[in-house]
Amino acid sequence: MDGILRRPGEGETLFDSARSTLRVLVEREELTVTWFRYAAGEKGPNPHIHRRHTDAFYVLEGELELTLGPRATEIVRASAGTFVAAPPEVVHTFRNASGAEAVFLNVHAPSMGFADMLRARRDGRDEDAERFDQFDPPSDGGRPLTEAVVSRPEAGELFDRENRAIAIKSDLPQVSAFDIAFDPEFVVDPHLHDDHVDSFYVLAGEVDFTAGEDVVRAAAGTWFSAPPGKRHGFRNPGPGRARVLNVHAPDGGFVAGIRGG
């Protein structure tokens, strides 16, 4: 099949314990996407920056606490449906500060070898892990908080059209994201992109994805990526409205296309 399909529970599991689970859904130069489960109180890394890539989060279940901006003082409590992105040089960290489990997607775009760094840490190869594009906060505090993206549930620049509603969740050059709800009448015919990976996470309903010459039906919780040059399309088999998180890495002019009609 032309494309990367990960049904619920699939993907390379790098860590799995009572406290956390991490699975790699897609690993390419353009992006790495991981599925995380954090138990109550589980903490991520110390505040840090990336110099050459964007680190983004989409909360699926529960609540994730993200700390952003100079001196890491802005706290964002992100509930399910929230998209947060820290572009290069924006200080950030995250944890599950709630009393319940949190599940979220983490997108690194471009990848910069994120999955390889995680494997190195797992295997005790600290020297290899330290080559990853991650650094302590700079003395000047890094880029201002206004450079980060925080898009709450039901928020985003909305384009409500006849048979679909598209909300822009991120319009960063390295990664754009869209919440798309669409009726069975809305069909995206097979096509390809030369310059970016087009990815989808099914949030509700079912979606038929065209991948090359194949058509696969995907339920909620499924991830699908079409790499550059790979034929793909999608439709809603019905009967109700379906909903996906659509991620482009890099943006490839998609935001401009949505805004242009």
Side-chain angles (χ1 to χ4, degrees):
M1 185 184 72
D2 285 346
I4 301 163
L5 184 76
R6 299 285 184 260
R7 299 192 187 277
E10 294 183 344
E12 180 187 2
T13 300
L14 296 184
F15 301 95
D16 190 21
S17 71
R19 300 295 305 165
S20 65
T21 302
L22 187 161
R23 295 191 187 100
V24 179
L25 301 182
V26 58
E27 182 180 5
R28 289 186 52 87
E29 181 179 349
E30 299 90 346
L31 84 164
T32 289
V33 179
T34 47
W35 181 96
F36 274 91
R37 177 191 60 83
Y38 265 18
E42 186 70 4
K43 295 182 179 180
N46 291 329
H48 60 278
I49 63 165
H50 305 296
R51 292 176 179 164
R52 292 178 289 171
H53 78 280
T54 293
D55 193 358
F57 305 81
Y58 184 82
V59 182
L60 297 169
E61 301 174 19
E63 182 181 271
L64 189 66
E65 181 184 282
L66 296 109
T67 307
L68 299 162
R71 291 167 293 283
T73 55
E74 181 70 20
I75 295 176
V76 175
R77 290 183 173 85
S79 58
T82 301
F83 188 95
V84 176
E89 304 288 346
V90 171
V91 177
H92 61 286
T93 187
F94 58 95
R95 65 174 182 157
N96 180 2
S98 75
E101 193 170 81
V103 178
F104 57 98
L105 301 175
N106 183 209
V107 179
H108 288 256
S111 170
M112 304 305 299
F114 179 66
D116 282 339
M117 179 274 289
L118 294 174
R119 296 184 188 102
R121 286 186 177 175
R122 178 197 61 189
D123 299 339
R125 293 182 284 111
D126 294 341
E127 184 175 323
D128 291 337
E130 289 172 1
R131 296 192 182 99
F132 179 61
D133 177 35
Q134 182 165 311
F135 305 91
D136 291 336
S139 58
D140 64 2
R143 293 170 67 184
L145 177 64
T146 53
E147 299 295 323
V149 170
V150 178
S151 182
R152 302 282 187 179
E154 311 302 329
E157 188 178 351
L158 181 63
F159 298 84
D160 197 352
R161 291 165 180 162
E162 181 180 357
N163 50 20
R164 71 234 187 242
I166 304 172
I168 299 175
K169 307 294 282 184
S170 171
D171 60 357
L172 296 173
Q174 291 182 321
V175 58
S176 57
F178 312 84
D179 186 316
I180 306 176
F182 56 104
D183 297 328
E185 294 78 19
F186 177 65
V187 177
V188 175
D189 292 326
H191 61 285
L192 56 85
H193 306 292
D194 293 327
D195 56 358
H196 69 276
V197 179
D198 193 2
S199 300
F200 306 82
Y201 185 87
V202 182
L203 297 169
E206 291 185 316
V207 178
D208 285 345
F209 290 108
T210 299
E213 299 303 319
D214 299 317
V215 176
V216 292
R217 181 157 296 181
T222 301
W223 180 274
F224 173 74
S225 286
K230 297 300 183 181
R231 183 176 182 266
H232 64 286
F234 64 96
R235 63 179 294 272
N236 173 5
R241 178 164 273 203
R243 182 168 157 245
V244 298
L245 176 71
N246 180 211
V247 176
H248 293 249
D251 170 59
F254 199 76
V255 168
I258 295 296
R259 287 173 174 154

